[in-house]
Amino acid sequence: MSKKLFIETLGCAMNVRDSEHMIAELNQKESYELTEDSSEADLIIINTCSVREKPVQKLFSELGVFNKKKKEGAKIGVAGCTASHLGKEIIKRAPYVNFVLGARNVSKVAEVIHKDRAVETEIDYDESQFAFKDFRSSLYKSYINISIGCDKQCTYCIVPHTRGEEISIPLNLILDEVENSVKRGAKELFLLGQNVNNYGRRFSGKHEKINFTELLRRVSEVEGLKRIRFTSPHPLHMDDEFLQEFAKNDKICKSMHMPLQSGSTKLLKDMKRGYSKEWFLDRAKKLRELVPEVSISTDIIVGFPGESDADHEDTLDVMRQVGFEQVFSFKYSPRPMTEAENYTDVVDPQIASKRLAEVQELHNDTLDRLKERNLNKVVEVYFEELRSDGFVAGRSDNNLLVKVKGSEELLGRFKNVRINRLSRLSFEGEVI
Ligand code: SF4
């Protein structure tokens, strides 16, 4: 009888890829098969996120539920960023947890399941050259790590403390994964890193030193690959060479994530983001000039310590000037081990909520204005998702979510679609 593995993944795309690595290692080294039903699982893993306090609180209530539902003798493990920063504290608070595996120790998963109460959270453990077994949760696109960790010190961010220092993954390992993905039928891939456009700054051992722009060129030379996406680039490293390549390379999808965080140069300094309001606006303007059809998404934090009405107004001003196609906005959440955790000039929670509502309202107004331009537009869609409502969905090159009436025959195929129905976040159309 094969053993059953249930894995729940919280948080970002990096966590999705880490979960795929754990599934592959446990399947090929320990013969675990995936199950969607945690009550029949022999092993339950929660791959956690620590970017804000809420997911951390959610973890302990979830652990309680899994512990009640699990079958006799089943094991429970906690992985990911919360595992990295809470470590053995998790076992103290939830003694039925069998192991804790930090975000930088994924390659040890097949070992820790055999140890009771194991806590593997070494923050400088180097997996950058580890050739993980292969498993993909999608047939049509692949997530590919190009670096681990982060060398920035953004004062609100816990990631450098949970994922460690930044090390680039060697080019040959990346190209191997790209070629294997294309052989397996994926036509789109997502290059992942905390700071993708900082690629090549540091490797473990001797490896060919190239920067991110050159990496994009090399990856785009792989035959059979049609689309390249990446996340997350840092606005500081968006130099002209990078933007030119982004514009002229047909395989690079014309959607760019540019995490702003705040529009105030004073606050960006307190956040240690390394760029100013003017630099960000200059880069966004350049990008729109080079690629008029580009969709730009961003992250915004409101209520960061010391944020004044004028700072907030600067954020709204950048939003008006750039007209982001997608905005992920949050209230500041103090994180342990970060510099800002000790900042005293705390913003009143009600003011922070009011500012968040203003950011979201302005974004909705922008979406309502922008969506009109897509009516009757013809876009090429890569279909990846079969829905139960008789629709098949996919994304355009510039990341519009588009659905058409259809069947599984469309999955994994590129089709031209004329958009005939609009909504804020997704579009409907017909294949032409
Ligand atoms: S760049 Fe800043 S926000 Fe992004 S992961 Fe690194 S420290 Fe966190």
Side-chain angles (χ1 to χ4, degrees):
M1 275 280 291
S2 69
K3 293 168 284 183
K4 299 271 185 228
L5 165 66
F6 175 89
I7 190 161
E8 178 171 290
T9 304
L10 307 173
C12 66
M14 262 69 80
N15 259 13
V16 173
R17 188 64 186 130
D18 288 346
S19 289
E20 290 179 341
H21 283 151
M22 288 190 266
I23 295 164
E25 294 291 305
L26 290 167
N27 173 262
Q28 291 162 46
K29 292 181 180 169
E30 300 286 332
S31 314
Y32 277 91
E33 300 289 341
L34 266 185
T35 175
E36 304 284 316
D37 178 358
S38 64
S39 65
E40 69 162 18
D42 301 284
L43 176 58
I44 296 168
I45 297 179
I46 307 181
N47 192 3
T48 59
C49 169
S50 265
V51 77
R52 278 173 290 282
E53 187 53 22
K54 208 161 160 210
V56 176
Q57 291 318 320
K58 195 172 156 222
L59 168 65
F60 289 99
S61 55
E62 281 225 314
L63 281 172
V65 174
F66 281 126
N67 189 43
K68 279 209 187 78
K69 272 177 71 183
K70 76 178 184 185
K71 76 176 189 185
E72 182 80 25
K75 288 189 171 180
I76 296 181
V78 176
C81 287
T82 308
S84 298
H85 84 96
L86 287 183
K88 57 182 181 306
E89 175 71 24
I90 293 173
I91 294 181
K92 237 193 249 152
R93 286 174 62 176
Y96 47 79
V97 167
N98 300 92
F99 62 86
V100 176
L101 186 69
R104 190 88 176 203
N105 300 264
V106 174
S107 61
K108 299 175 186 168
V109 67
E111 288 162 41
V112 289
I113 60 169
H114 297 295
K115 300 180 192 158
D116 202 31
R117 308 265 177 292
V119 177
E120 292 282 356
T121 55
E122 253 184 280
I123 198 68
D124 49 15
Y125 184 68
D126 180 4
E127 298 181 314
S128 66
Q129 303 180 88
F130 188 89
F132 284 96
K133 302 286 181 195
D134 200 25
F135 171 84
R136 300 285 172 180
S137 27
S138 163
L139 284 175
Y140 312 112
K141 72 173 178 216
S142 291
Y143 288 117
I144 296 180
N145 289 344
I146 66 166
S147 62
I148 57 175
C150 182
D151 275 353
K152 302 281 180 214
Q153 294 299 327
C154 303
T155 55
Y156 54 82
C157 183
I158 198 172
V159 171
H161 310 281
T162 60
R163 287 184 173 271
E165 64 175 10
E166 191 170 322
I167 305 176
S168 297
I169 291 174
L171 176 63
N172 63 313
L173 284 183
I174 295 171
L175 290 179
D176 286 352
E177 277 206 61
V178 173
E179 278 146 19
N180 289 342
S181 298
V182 171
K183 270 196 216 109
R184 215 174 29 81
K187 297 190 183 67
E188 178 175 309
L189 56 82
F190 232 110
L191 302 177
L192 300 180
Q194 305 295 345
N195 265 320
V196 288
N197 49 355
N198 209 24
Y199 178 79
R201 230 165 51 82
R202 185 181 42 232
F203 293 94
S204 296
K206 276 208 153 320
H207 293 285
E208 186 182 353
K209 254 186 174 290
I210 59 169
N211 66 15
F212 185 58
T213 305
E214 183 55 24
L215 175 68
L216 286 170
R217 285 190 196 110
R218 300 285 192 93
V219 168
S220 65
E221 285 158 9
V222 174
E223 265 193 54
L225 178 65
K226 190 121 189 261
R227 284 183 171 181
I228 303 170
R229 298 187 190 276
F230 51 81
T231 198
S232 189
H234 196 294
L236 181 60
H237 304 302
M238 292 191 176
D239 57 27
D240 287 356
E241 186 206 8
F242 166 64
L243 293 179
Q244 299 284 1
E245 183 65 26
F246 178 86
K248 73 170 192 279
N249 189 322
D250 292 342
K251 290 195 180 177
I252 301 177
C253 291
K254 301 304 178 258
S255 59
M256 177 81 82
H257 189 58
M258 279 181 84
L260 170 70
Q261 308 302 0
S262 169
S264 149
T265 297
K266 183 200 89 189
L267 231 59
L268 287 168
K269 201 155 174 287
D270 295 346
M271 289 175 165
K272 289 193 178 164
R273 289 292 287 165
Y275 54 84
S276 64
K277 174 182 181 180
E278 291 68 32
W279 168 264
F280 189 95
L281 287 170
D282 172 80
R283 297 292 85 188
K285 185 162 166 280
K286 178 102 184 169
L287 181 57
R288 290 223 186 271
E289 278 163 11
L290 287 169
V291 192
E293 76 280 13
V294 71
S295 81
I296 306 180
S297 59
T298 195
D299 300 328
I300 288 175
I301 296 173
V302 299
F304 185 77
E307 185 186 57
S308 64
D309 287 345
D311 296 324
H312 176 55
E313 192 40 52
D314 271 329
T315 298
L316 298 177
D317 181 40
V318 172
M319 289 178 69
R320 290 188 199 99
Q321 291 197 45
V322 178
F324 296 106
E325 280 77 8
Q326 203 169 16
V327 174
F328 303 98
S329 53
F330 307 93
K331 282 196 284 185
Y332 169 68
S333 168
R335 306 309 301 123
M337 300 179 280
T338 62
E339 200 179 313
E341 187 192 16
N342 308 313
Y343 287 6
T344 51
D345 196 355
V346 176
V347 173
D348 178 303
Q350 285 186 323
I351 293 176
S353 299
K354 183 172 156 292
R355 289 176 182 164
L356 183 63
E358 284 171 16
V359 163
Q360 291 168 346
E361 192 190 329
L362 175 56
H363 180 48
N364 286 339
D365 294 349
T366 305
L367 286 178
D368 289 340
R369 185 168 45 77
L370 292 178
K371 72 178 186 220
E372 300 303 330
R373 68 182 180 187
N374 292 306
L375 192 60
N376 291 324
K377 201 179 232 177
V378 175
V379 291
E380 186 186 49
V381 175
Y382 181 40
F383 289 101
E384 307 171 40
E385 188 198 344
L386 184 62
R387 297 192 172 170
S388 54
D389 57 2
F391 282 92
V392 189
R395 292 196 175 260
S396 67
D397 180 90
N398 63 351
N399 216 23
L400 298 178
L401 178 58
V402 181
K403 64 179 185 179
V404 301
K405 278 273 176 206
S407 68
E408 62 190 348
E409 275 167 27
L410 280 173
L411 292 177
R413 303 179 69 185
F414 288 89
K415 289 287 182 187
N416 287 332
V417 175
R418 183 186 307 285
I419 292 177
N420 52 28
R421 283 186 72 183
L422 310 174
S423 79
R424 269 192 192 141
L425 296 173
S426 69
F427 301 87
E428 196 178 320
E430 56 186 356
V431 172
I432 57 168

